[in-house]
Amino acid sequence: MSDDVQELGITESKSHNTGEWYAEVVRKAGLADYGPEGMSGFIVTRPRAYAIWERLQGFLDAKFKNTGVQNAYFPLFIPESYLEREKDIVEGFDPEVAWVTEAGNEELEERLAVRPTSESIITPYISQWVRSHRDLPLRVNQWCSVVRWEATETKPFFRTKEFLWQEGHTAHATHEDAWTETLTRLDQYESVYEDLLAIPVLKGQKPDYDTFPGAETTTTVEALMPDGKSVQAGTSHHLGQSFAAAFDITFADEDENERLAHTTSWGLSWRAIGALIMTHSDEQGLVLPPGVAPTQAVIVPIWQEDTKDAVLEYAEGVAADLDDAGVRVELDDRDERNPGFKFNEHELNGIPLRVEIGPNEVDDGELTLVHRPDGESTVVDREGVAASVAAHLDELYAKLYAAAEETLDGEVREADGRDEILGTLGQHGGYVKAPWCGDEACEAPIKEPMAAEIVMVPFEDDDPLVDADGDDAAGDAGSHGETCAICGEPAQRTAYFAKSY
RNA sequence: GGGGCCGUGGGGUAGUGGUAUCCUCGCUGCUUUGGGUGCAGUGGACCUGAGUUCAACUCUCAGCGGCCCCA
C-alpha cells in the first residue's frame, strides 16, 4: 500500500459524493438494478452480487452448523393474531408491515402479514418442540427474505423494502445460556466482517431504549463507512423471557419443575454486501477481498499474430493448474477485446488478482501478477503458480483489512461536552466516544441538531469506565469519577456517537 | 419528517413550444492486442398521466423514479 497517489485519488472521489459514487458502482459493476416502476425500494440482485451473497452465506452457515444450529424454513406469511401475541413486536414493526388481505379473489378472514421478522411464527413452533430440559438448547435458523415497508429513503443493499438475510432463533434453559448464545452469534458476525469481508467492526450493545422490539439486550457490530456514517452490520438479541411468555415456551427441568425458557434471535442481512462495496471500492469500480470474490483471479493473455498459439496454450496450462488448486480462475481469451479493455473491465468488476501472460512471460517461464486494490505488480515463476497465487490472494486480503483498520482507528475520537461532541461529529464524522450516564435524555441534545445517535456501547469488559469486578464508575468513584459529557452526572458507560445509516 | 436539484437511445450529456446534437453503446466488416485500437456502415431515446396550446420532449399540475442537503 505504498502507492499513496492512488490512495489520495480514491479518498477524494469517495468522500466528494459518496452516494452517487456508490450507486454508480452498484450499477456499473453489475451488482444490482432498481426494481420495476411503482416498486421503489426494491432491487434486482444480479448474478455477481448474488454470488457474493452465496459466498457469505456459505461462510456463515458453516459456522452456524459447527455450533449447533440447524436450518429450517417457516412460512412467508404470519397471521395477524400471531403477530399480536407479543405486543412490542406489533408496536415496533406496525408501520412497516405489508399485509395480504385478499387471495384468490376472496377477502381473507384474517389478514396475513408478510414477515418483517419471524419470531412470531417460529416461537410458537419452538414452544411445541420443547418439552424437557433435554430439548434445550434448541436452535433453528432460516435463510430467507423479509419485507419492511420503509418510509425512509432506500439504497441498494443498505436499505431496501425486501432484503435477504438469515434469522436465527434459539431457546435455552437459563438466562446465562441465552447470553452465551447471543455473544456466540455476535462473534460469528464479527468474523464474517473481519475474516471474510476484510472490514473491522466495533462490537457492543445498543442503549436499553434502543433494543429490538421485545428484547432485553440488543448486541451489535458496527462498521464505519467512508462517508463517516456507521452501519449496523449485524445484530444479536437476548430476548429474555418475553417471547417465551407470550408464546408459552416452557420445559420440565431436572428438578421436575416447569420453567420458562430464555430465547435469542440474531440476524445478518445483505447490508453486509453494501458495507463491502462501500468500504473497499474506488473510482475504478468494485474491489473485493478474495474470500467473497466470485472470480478470484483472471488471466489476461496478450498476444501478437505469431505468438497467439503459444501464449494461449501457456495460459490454458496456468488456468488448469489454478483450477486444480481450487482457485476460482477465469481465462479471458476473448479475441475481440484488447488487453487494456479487459484490464479496465475486470477492475470495474472487482476481480482481486490479474494474471498477465504475454510472449515475455512465455519465454521466461513466468507470470505477471497485478493486485486490484493498488495495481502492485509482481513477476513470479510459472513453477509453483498455485502456491504463489494463493500467497498473493492472502496478501490482498491483508492489504484491504489493514487499510480499513487504519481508517477506522483514525475515525474514533474522544470528546467531552455536548458542543465538543457535535463539533467533532460535524467536522469529521466517524465515531465520537464520550462518558455517558445511560439516560436517553442525554442522547437528545446530540440527536436533535445532528441526527447522530448512540450507535454502540462497548461491553462491560471492554469499557474502561467499568471495573473488572463489574462495578460502574459511580459505584466506585474512588478510581474513576468520570461524569456524563452531557448532564454532568456520574458516568456509567462509554457511549459511541455517530451518524448512521 | 422538511427543503432543493433532476428524469432525453444501453451509459453519460447538449438543446429546443414545431420530436434533436455530440460522446459513447449494440450489431456487421476490416483493422488491432503489454492500459478502454482505428475506420466504415448500420441500429436505437425525450419517465407516466392530466392540463394549457394549432402544436408539448420543452410550460403548469399530479404521480412514479433518482440524487443531494437539513431534521
Side-chain angles (χ1 to χ4, degrees), chain A residues 15 224-230 407-408 410-415 419-432 450 497-499:
Chain A
S15 61
L224 180 70
M225 296 296 100
D227 56 1
K229 291 185 185 172
S230 180
T407 305
L408 176 60
E411 293 294 327
V412 179
R413 300 180 177 81
E414 296 187 31
D419 293 346
E420 196 183 337
I421 295 172
L422 283 173
T424 308
L425 280 175
Q427 191 181 350
H428 305 288
Y431 299 98
V432 172
M450 176 151 270
F497 291 86
K499 293 186 184 179

Side-chain angles (χ1 to χ4, degrees), chain A residues 341-362:
Chain A
F341 183 95
K342 294 177 183 176
F343 294 168
N344 282 288
E345 187 176 75
H346 296 129
E347 281 165 11
L348 175 63
N349 290 337
I351 299 179
L353 190 68
R354 179 172 76 238
V355 182
E356 297 180 4
I357 295 176
N360 302 340
E361 282 83 359
V362 174

Side-chain angles (χ1 to χ4, degrees), chain A residues 28-84:
Chain A
K28 292 192 172 170
L31 297 170
D33 283 332
Y34 292 108
E37 207 171 295
M39 284 182 67
S40 163
F42 289 82
I43 58 170
V44 173
T45 310
R46 300 183 60 181
R48 187 169 296 113
Y50 200 82
I52 292 170
W53 180 244
E54 287 177 313
R55 293 271 150 215
L56 194 158
Q57 194 172 19
F59 182 92
L60 193 53
D61 203 59
K63 284 185 181 294
F64 289 163
K65 285 173 178 159
N66 282 333
T67 47
V69 181
Q70 294 182 301
N71 284 331
Y73 189 79
F74 291 79
L76 166 65
F77 301 120
I78 303 178
E80 185 167 21
S81 56
Y82 277 55
L83 208 59
E84 280 174 344

